[in-house]
Amino acid sequence: MIPLSHYLLLSLALFSIGVAGVLLRRSIIIVLMSLELIFNSINLSLVAFAHFLQSMTGRVFVVFTITVAAAEVAVGLAILVAVYRRRKTVYVEELNEMKH
Amino acid sequence: MEKLFFLIFAVIAIVSAIGVVSLRNPVHSAISLMVCFLQVAALFILLRSPFLAAVQVFIYVGAVVVLFLFAVMVLDLGKERFGGYLHHQRPIALVVVIGFVFVMGFTILHGSLDAPLGNYTEEALVKNTEIMGKLLFTKYVFPFEVVSFLLLIALIGAIVLAMKEKR
């Protein structure tokens, strides 16, 4: 039997790698991939909690999370395609029209 | 035995996650992301949720990664991989991430979990998929409908956003 903390530490590792990717990478498509990593780590911790609390709620919730993640990827990549068509760039620091 | 498999899956998952954020070619990042998703699916099986593992493989590996690869091919991002690929905000970002890891790691290692246990023990979870299907259509039918409507909105939104502007 693997203790819950192992799963949570793995989830923490994946989450922080994802956050590092979002903060560090310039290409917006890698930022979206890192967001998917974060989603995955959260799914893992939800299922781990559900397993160790002998509950079903966390597992059902993961189904909804996966659906929302799929919707997010579809819309995010559509926005990416639209932005690339208009601005010809995929670097996040060049997309700062709304900053000032 | 279970511990050995957990270790294998965890190590491959972390290595491929590091690959996602550190590789320069977006195609390699997407392949690495796929490996990471497969490891998480395997961990779902270790956590006695085979249905979620199947859903993970179908949706993440089958749809999301293919969508990413498709976007990389359509936008022809591969040629831009030789420029600088990291932000200038590196020090602040590293401080934030390391601080987060320390705080959360401390919480996980020193915290304790004392919530009431549910009645889905390992014996009851033999019919995992059946239980989940029944719950989805009885107790959680409202969120189920909301999520299906959200998918419809996302479908229409993605089509509208990616459509070519007409003159």
Side-chain angles (χ1 to χ4, degrees):
Chain A
M1 195 71 182
I2 304 149
L4 175 62
S5 58
H6 284 37
Y7 285 104
L8 291 183
L9 285 176
L10 173 62
S11 173
L12 168 66
L14 290 181
F15 189 95
S16 34
I17 291 168
V19 172
V22 169
L23 292 178
L24 288 175
R25 291 300 296 257
R26 290 172 72 214
S27 173
I28 198 166
I29 195 156
I30 307 288
V31 172
L32 278 174
M33 285 183 198
S34 308
L35 271 180
E36 289 307 306
L37 269 183
I38 296 174
F39 262 114
N40 247 286
S41 79
I42 296 306
N43 285 350
L44 185 64
S45 71
L46 275 172
V47 179
F49 271 118
H51 180 63
F52 283 92
L53 291 176
Q54 298 177 357
S55 150
M56 211 63 200
T57 316
R59 293 183 171 108
V60 174
F61 199 83
V62 168
V63 176
F64 298 135
T65 323
I66 289 176
T67 323
V68 173
E72 174 253 331
V73 166
V75 175
L77 286 176
I79 292 174
L80 176 60
V81 168
V83 164
Y84 186 76
R85 200 178 278 152
R86 190 173 279 265
R87 307 282 304 273
K88 300 283 176 240
T89 180
V90 287
Y91 289 155
V92 283
E93 79 267 15
E94 288 167 19
L95 304 171
N96 54 2
E97 291 281 286
M98 290 167 76
K99 204 169 162 186
H100 304 294
Chain B
M1 199 65 188
E2 207 179 320
K3 207 148 202 165
L4 175 71
F5 276 107
F6 173 80
L7 214 65
I8 295 171
F9 297 146
V11 168
I12 299 178
I14 290 177
V15 168
S16 56
I18 291 173
V20 171
V21 297
S22 61
L23 289 173
R24 280 167 182 248
N25 190 336
V27 178
H28 296 168
S29 284
I31 301 293
S32 192
L33 189 69
M34 189 177 83
V35 174
C36 186
F37 286 162
L38 283 173
Q39 303 314 310
V40 175
L43 287 166
F44 283 170
I45 290 180
L46 282 190
L47 287 166
R48 311 291 188 276
S49 322
F51 177 70
L52 285 180
V55 166
Q56 169 95 3
V57 171
F58 284 157
I59 294 182
Y60 274 115
V61 181
V64 169
V65 174
V66 171
L67 212 58
F68 273 123
L69 283 173
F70 197 69
V72 173
M73 303 291 175
V74 164
L75 301 183
D76 195 20
L77 302 176
K79 66 178 189 294
E80 286 171 317
R81 65 177 181 266
F82 296 111
Y85 74 120
L86 288 176
H87 266 307
H88 47 83
Q89 61 190 16
R90 212 174 319 179
I92 309 167
L94 282 180
V95 167
V96 167
V97 170
I98 290 170
F100 176 77
V101 167
F102 271 109
V103 171
M104 284 308 294
F106 183 82
T107 316
I108 289 170
L109 289 176
H110 292 266
S112 66
L113 185 68
D114 49 351
L117 292 182
N119 43 9
Y120 292 104
T121 54
E122 214 159 292
E123 292 79 46
L125 279 179
V126 174
K127 295 184 188 171
N128 180 289
T129 312
E130 191 184 330
I131 296 170
M132 189 169 275
K134 276 184 182 158
L135 277 176
L136 269 178
F137 283 100
T138 52
K139 196 177 167 188
Y140 298 102
V141 70
F142 181 66
F144 186 78
E145 293 296 328
V146 171
V147 144
S148 62
F149 191 62
L150 178 82
L151 271 183
L152 179 69
I153 297 171
L155 177 72
I156 298 171
I159 293 172
V160 169
L161 280 169
M163 213 158 42
K164 276 220 164 71
E165 281 176 48
K166 297 216 169 65
R167 294 280 149 197

